[in-house]
Amino acid sequence: MYDISKVREDFPILSRTVYGKPLVYLDNAATTQKPLCVLDAMRDEYLNVNANVHRGIHWLSQQATDLHEAARETVRKFINARSTAEIVFTRGTTESLNLVASSFCEGFMDEGDEVIVSNVEHHSNIVPWQILAQRKGIVLKVIPINEDGVFDMEAFQQLITERTKLVSVAHVSNVMGTINPVREIIRIAHTYDIPVMLDGAQSVPHFAVDVQELDCEFLAFSGHKVYGPTGIGVLYGKEEWLDKLPPYQGGGEMIETVSFNGTTFERPPLKFEAGTPDYVATHGLATALRYVTALGMDNIHQHEQMLTDYAIDQLRNIPNIRFFGVPNNTDNAQTTHQHDAAISFLIGDIHPMDLGTLLDQLGIAVRTGHHCAQPLMERFGINGTVRVSFALYNTKEEVDTLVAGIERVVKMF
Ligand code: PMP
C-alpha cells in the first residue's frame, strides 16, 4: 500500500477550503483532480517543446511528435494492447463511443441490424445508437438488470439473434459502481462471432484493465477520469477491426494522399485522428498513467475498495437509506469484487438535490441527479440519486466526515 498523506501532497487542490471548511472531494466519477506532475509536464511542453506534431521536419516538431507518440506507447502498455496501431486518441469516452458507433454502423450494419447495450449505460453509449437508429434504421436492444443492478444474463442470451452485429456495454456503472460481467458477455458474444465494445470510463481509473486478457474488440476511456487532462481520451480497437472500419472524420493527419480524383487514408491509428491532436494533453495523460502505474493499480484498487466497503458499512447505519447497486438486505451483501468505487443512494424522501446542496455547505462535494443515465433512473422509478465516488487520494476520515455530514443534514428534515 502507499502513503496516503504523501499521495495527497501531489494534489494541491485537496488542501483548499470551501465555505471555510476543508474540501472533501467525492465526485471523482465525474472527474478526478490532477497531480502536480501532470500539470508540470503540460506546462513544460508548452514552455519548451510546443510545435505541431507529425508535420514538421524542424527540431521542435520532432520533439513534440516524439512526446506524442511516446504517450501512445504509454497508453498501449497501460492497457496491454498488442500494438500502438490499436491506440486512437480522441477527445474522451464520448467521442470514442461515437466514433465506433458511426464507423461500425456505416461499415457493418444495414437497416434492421441490431446492437445490444444494457440498462445501466451512460447516455454516451445510448444516444449515438439512437441517432443511428433514426438515420439508418438499426435496432437498439437492452440487457435488463435486477433490483440490485446486476445484468440478467439469461435475458442477454435471448436478445442475441443473427441480426446482432455488436454488443456495447459499460465495464463499470458510473451510477452504482457495479462491475458488470463483461468477461461472460464477451465469451458469449464471441461464440456467435459478435464483437464487443466496453465503455471503460469507470473501470480504467480504478483497476488494471488488460485488453488482451479481456479480449474485447474495443475499449473507450477518458483521460480526465484517470488523473489526466480534460479533452483527451482513448479508443482501443483490435487492429483487424480498426483496419476495416471506415474513417470517422476527414481532414489533415488521417490521409495518405489527397486529390480531387480520390483520396487514400492513413493506416490506424492516424486514420481516425483528423486534425491537430491535443498533443500536450496526450503527454499529460501519459504522465498521469505513469503516475498511477508507479503507485500500483492493485494498490489503488485495494485502497478504493477499502474506502468503498467502509463507506457502505457506515452508510448502512443511516435510517431509511436506500442503496442502488448494493443489496439493501445485508444478509445478501455483495462480495467486494463486484462493486467498485461509486455508491448511489437516497435517504427517505429527501430530494437528492437538497442533500447534495446541504453537504456542499459542509465542504463535501458529491454528485446528485440522473448522472447521465436516465434510463437507469427510469428502471428504478426515481429521478436521481446521491452519488459518492472515490479516488486514490480519498481517506477514511473523509468517509467519516461524509457520514457525519449526512447525519447532520438528515436531522434538518
Ligand atoms: N461512460 C461512462 C460510464 C461515464 O462515467 C462517463 C462520464 N461520466 C462517460 C461515458 C462520458 O465520458 P466523457 O464525458 O469523458 O466523454
Side-chain angles (χ1 to χ4, degrees):
M1 288 295 266
Y2 51 83
D3 178 350
I4 189 74
S5 50
K6 203 154 159 284
V7 164
R8 286 177 71 84
E9 285 171 15
D10 295 334
F11 297 84
I13 198 170
L14 298 177
S15 43
R16 69 158 298 166
T17 54
V18 172
Y19 308 118
K21 315 248 174 8
L23 168 68
V24 176
Y25 185 75
L26 299 176
D27 192 19
N28 295 286
T31 200
T32 52
Q33 302 302 345
K34 318 303 169 201
L36 277 170
C37 61
V38 168
L39 307 177
D40 288 346
M42 293 175 73
R43 183 169 189 271
D44 183 61
E45 185 165 6
Y46 275 127
L47 278 178
N48 295 308
V49 191
N50 184 48
N52 206 334
V53 292
H54 293 145
R55 288 170 193 159
I57 54 136
H58 60 79
W59 191 87
L60 270 186
S61 173
Q62 287 180 17
Q63 295 290 306
T65 304
D66 287 351
L67 281 179
H68 181 62
E69 290 305 322
R72 206 186 298 278
E73 168 57 18
T74 302
V75 174
R76 183 206 67 73
K77 216 165 134 197
F78 189 69
I79 58 171
N80 193 31
R82 281 174 201 82
S83 141
T84 49
E86 300 183 317
I87 307 299
V88 178
F89 285 122
T90 64
R91 284 192 298 121
T93 307
T94 302
E95 190 174 46
S96 299
L97 296 171
N98 274 273
L99 190 166
V100 172
S102 166
S103 292
F104 189 91
C105 191
E106 188 189 327
F108 297 95
M109 294 182 87
D110 294 317
E111 189 177 339
D113 281 345
E114 298 161 359
V115 59
I116 298 178
V117 300
S118 84
N119 203 163
V120 311
E121 300 309 316
H122 187 279
H123 293 163
S124 60
N125 194 27
I126 299 173
V127 184
W129 300 111
Q130 289 179 324
I131 291 172
L132 291 164
Q134 270 180 1
R135 286 190 191 153
K136 200 162 169 179
I138 66 156
V139 177
L140 188 55
K141 290 177 142 184
V142 184
I143 307 170
I145 53 166
N146 71 14
E147 269 305 300
D148 290 336
V150 176
F151 281 23
D152 179 339
M153 293 301 281
E154 239 168 68
F156 167 59
Q157 302 227 34
Q158 281 161 13
L159 290 178
I160 298 174
T161 71
E162 72 260 5
R163 304 289 320 247
T164 309
K165 294 290 156 84
L166 184 78
V167 177
S168 183
V169 291
H171 195 172
V172 171
S173 158
N174 67 308
V175 177
M176 302 179 291
T178 38
I179 302 177
N180 298 317
V182 295
R183 280 187 177 73
E184 188 65 356
I185 295 261
I186 292 166
R187 189 188 64 71
I188 294 166
H190 283 182
T191 63
Y192 298 91
D193 279 334
I194 301 166
V196 177
M197 173 156 68
L198 296 183
D199 172 350
Q202 300 295 344
S203 57
V204 169
H206 299 292
F207 51 84
V209 171
D210 179 330
V211 289
Q212 290 193 62
E213 192 241 317
L214 283 169
D215 202 25
C216 54
E217 275 62 35
F218 303 102
L219 170 83
F221 68 94
S222 297
H224 69 97
K225 294 184 197 278
V226 60
Y227 313 98
T230 47
I232 193 75
V234 172
L235 170 66
Y236 158 81
K238 280 187 184 168
E239 200 167 352
E240 53 178 297
W241 273 103
L242 293 184
D243 262 333
K244 57 191 180 189
L245 286 188
Y248 175 50
Q249 295 177 330
E253 301 270 339
M254 52 77 74
I255 48 85
E256 203 173 47
T257 61
V258 179
S259 152
F260 284 118
N261 296 322
T263 288
T264 54
F265 304 122
E266 273 281 9
R267 297 235 18 240
L270 295 186
K271 180 168 108 183
F272 299 102
E273 295 181 354
T276 300
D278 194 341
Y279 52 84
V280 176
T282 57
H283 180 45
L285 170 60
T287 309
L289 297 183
R290 283 193 295 273
Y291 177 81
V292 291
T293 302
L295 287 178
M297 285 308 291
D298 289 345
N299 291 334
I300 291 170
H301 184 50
Q302 233 183 318
H303 176 72
E304 292 176 350
Q305 201 75 73
M306 176 278 290
L307 289 176
T308 309
D309 292 346
Y310 179 65
I312 290 172
D313 267 3
Q314 297 302 304
L315 289 168
R316 273 197 200 284
N317 299 328
I318 294 172
N320 300 320
I321 191 160
R322 176 185 174 198
F323 291 109
F324 299 89
V326 175
N328 286 291
N329 174 355
T330 22
D331 302 337
N332 221 355
Q334 289 190 343
T335 50
T336 50
H337 68 271
Q338 293 170 298
H339 203 274
D340 204 59
I343 308 170
S344 256
F345 56 88
L346 287 172
I347 298 172
D349 55 6
I350 303 176
H351 196 286
M353 207 85 89
D354 291 338
L355 189 51
T357 307
L358 291 164
L359 286 174
D360 178 53
Q361 299 294 310
L362 302 173
I364 305 166
V366 299
R367 179 133 309 224
T368 63
H370 56 60
H371 317 291
C372 294
Q374 280 181 319
L376 180 60
M377 301 297 115
E378 207 178 308
R379 161 66 181 80
F380 287 122
I382 55 176
N383 292 320
T385 71
V386 177
R387 180 188 71 190
V388 300
S389 53
F390 300 111
L392 60 85
Y393 39 66
N394 289 119
T395 63
K396 268 178 108 169
E397 291 71 33
E398 287 180 311
V399 174
D400 292 337
T401 307
L402 167 77
V403 174
I406 294 174
E407 279 165 350
R408 195 167 147 190
V409 169
V410 166
K411 281 198 194 111
M412 297 163 74
F413 285 85

